[in-house]
Amino acid sequence: FGAILTAAVEGSDLPGPEAFPPVWDDWNARTPQEQVTESVTANEAFVRRAEGLSETQLDELQFSLFGMDFDMAGFLQMRLGEHALHTWEVTGARDPGATVSADAGDRVSDGVTDRARRVGKPSEKPWRIRVITACSGAASIGMIFGVTSSSAR
């Protein structure tokens, strides 16, 4: 996310999908302790960079990423969702009852069906998932995925 923010602020080309696998490979090669330490360092650097933007930069920042248009608020919301879900993945590995933190849940649940349509892959057979939230304003989202499309109800 840091490289995306830097490119967006500088008006240069944003990293494309080909930029991410080497980052993930590098991350996966680290020890668990290195991942913890470097994650905190990277998150702090990202927050400092975002907080260091001027009001004008915050107001004017517009870019396209992953087929979606973002302003700074939308980009930060996506980053919060990414962070909240990865935190849940880590805690869920040890605690099957782990949940996404309540303070991030409302923001994460916003647009979940749009994200599912974007990242869902075609399959031979239709399949369903149900996302049940305890967030304000959301109760249950059902999604059906099929060979050529996905739909949300």
Side-chain angles (χ1 to χ4, degrees), residues 8-66:
V9 169
E10 293 174 355
S12 56
D13 291 339
L14 273 60
E18 70 285 347
F20 300 113
V23 172
W24 300 328
D25 291 342
D26 180 55
W27 179 259
N28 292 334
R30 297 176 186 172
T31 67
Q33 185 57 52
E34 288 170 331
Q35 290 177 345
V36 168
T37 302
E38 293 177 31
S39 173
V40 170
T41 301
N43 284 322
E44 289 172 348
F46 177 83
V47 169
R48 274 193 311 275
R49 176 76 165 123
E51 288 177 338
L53 297 176
S54 70
E55 290 296 321
T56 301
Q57 287 174 307
L58 291 171
D59 290 342
E60 293 179 358
L61 192 69
Q62 301 280 325
F63 59 95
S64 293
L65 179 68
F66 307 128

Side-chain angles (χ1 to χ4, degrees), residues 12-136:
S12 56
D13 291 339
L14 273 60
E18 70 285 347
F20 300 113
V23 172
W24 300 328
D25 291 342
D26 180 55
W27 179 259
N28 292 334
R30 297 176 186 172
T31 67
Q33 185 57 52
E34 288 170 331
Q35 290 177 345
V36 168
T37 302
E38 293 177 31
S39 173
V40 170
T41 301
N43 284 322
E44 289 172 348
F46 177 83
V47 169
R48 274 193 311 275
R49 176 76 165 123
E51 288 177 338
L53 297 176
S54 70
E55 290 296 321
T56 301
Q57 287 174 307
L58 291 171
D59 290 342
E60 293 179 358
L61 192 69
Q62 301 280 325
F63 59 95
S64 293
L65 179 68
F66 307 128
M68 299 178 289
D69 293 326
F70 286 96
D71 59 9
M72 190 60 177
F75 181 59
L76 291 175
Q77 181 173 332
M78 182 175 74
R79 176 64 188 119
L80 174 62
E82 185 85 3
H83 193 280
L85 292 175
H86 283 310
T87 299
W88 168 73
E89 290 172 334
V90 170
T91 56
R94 293 182 176 228
D95 176 8
T99 62
V100 175
S101 68
D103 59 341
D106 285 331
R107 289 183 172 48
V108 171
S109 66
D110 290 345
V112 71
T113 54
D114 290 333
R115 284 189 201 96
R117 280 189 197 98
R118 181 175 50 82
V119 300
K121 305 288 186 228
S123 65
E124 293 297 319
K125 297 182 199 175
W127 52 279
R128 296 174 185 247
I129 64 169
R130 179 170 299 280
V131 178
I132 301 171
T133 70
C135 305
S136 62

